[in-house]
Amino acid sequence: MPVATDLPISALLSRLAETLDGLASRTAQMQDDLGAFLTQAGHPTRAQLRELQGLDLIHQTLDDLRAAAHLASDAAVRQDHIDIVALADLLRLESCRIALLQGGEAALQQEKPTGEVDFF
């Protein structure tokens, strides 16, 4: 059995960022595929459009978390602090900005899918 050693925080953050990269990419592909399917199927229902908007919100949230994890990983490698202005500039969703800069999971609940769905 291999001996367990401590994992540097920079390595963990890098792996987390890579995992979020993959999830954001897969979610974007699902979003594209579902949008194409709904377009070909005819007139999507309001419920289907809400689901597509919800998927878009998940994709955008994963993309924000991915960007934050990469920034954190880079800072950990340098053994430096994270530039809050740079982090705020990376985040597209207000709910992610509040959650990551001010704290609190409730902020992620604030973002509601609204508006028209972009069928890519």
Side-chain angles (χ1 to χ4, degrees):
M1 179 172 203
V3 176
T5 60
D6 290 339
L7 180 66
I9 189 72
S10 60
L12 176 61
L13 288 170
S14 179
R15 291 174 188 176
L16 176 63
E18 289 171 8
T19 300
L20 289 169
D21 281 341
L23 289 172
S25 177
R26 288 171 64 188
T27 304
Q29 184 61 53
M30 289 171 51
Q31 186 178 3
D32 289 346
D33 293 346
L34 183 57
F37 175 76
L38 290 175
T39 300
Q40 290 174 354
H43 301 314
T45 66
R46 287 185 183 264
Q48 290 170 325
L49 290 175
R50 274 194 303 275
E51 288 300 316
L52 191 56
Q53 286 177 315
L55 185 57
D56 183 52
L57 178 59
I58 291 169
H59 172 246
Q60 290 182 47
T61 301
L62 284 170
D63 199 46
D64 275 0
L65 295 176
R66 172 204 62 76
H70 278 289
L71 188 66
S73 175
D74 293 344
V77 167
R78 294 186 316 272
Q79 296 182 349
D80 195 6
H81 290 86
I82 294 172
D83 181 348
I84 293 296
V85 173
L87 178 58
D89 287 346
L90 283 176
L91 303 174
R92 295 184 301 166
L93 295 176
E94 183 66 21
S95 58
C96 284
R97 216 175 280 115
I98 291 168
L100 296 179
L101 299 177
Q102 299 173 13
E105 290 180 27
L108 291 175
Q109 302 300 320
Q110 290 181 0
E111 206 74 55
K112 300 282 190 249
T114 59
E116 296 298 315
V117 174
D118 180 11
F119 282 105
F120 323 109

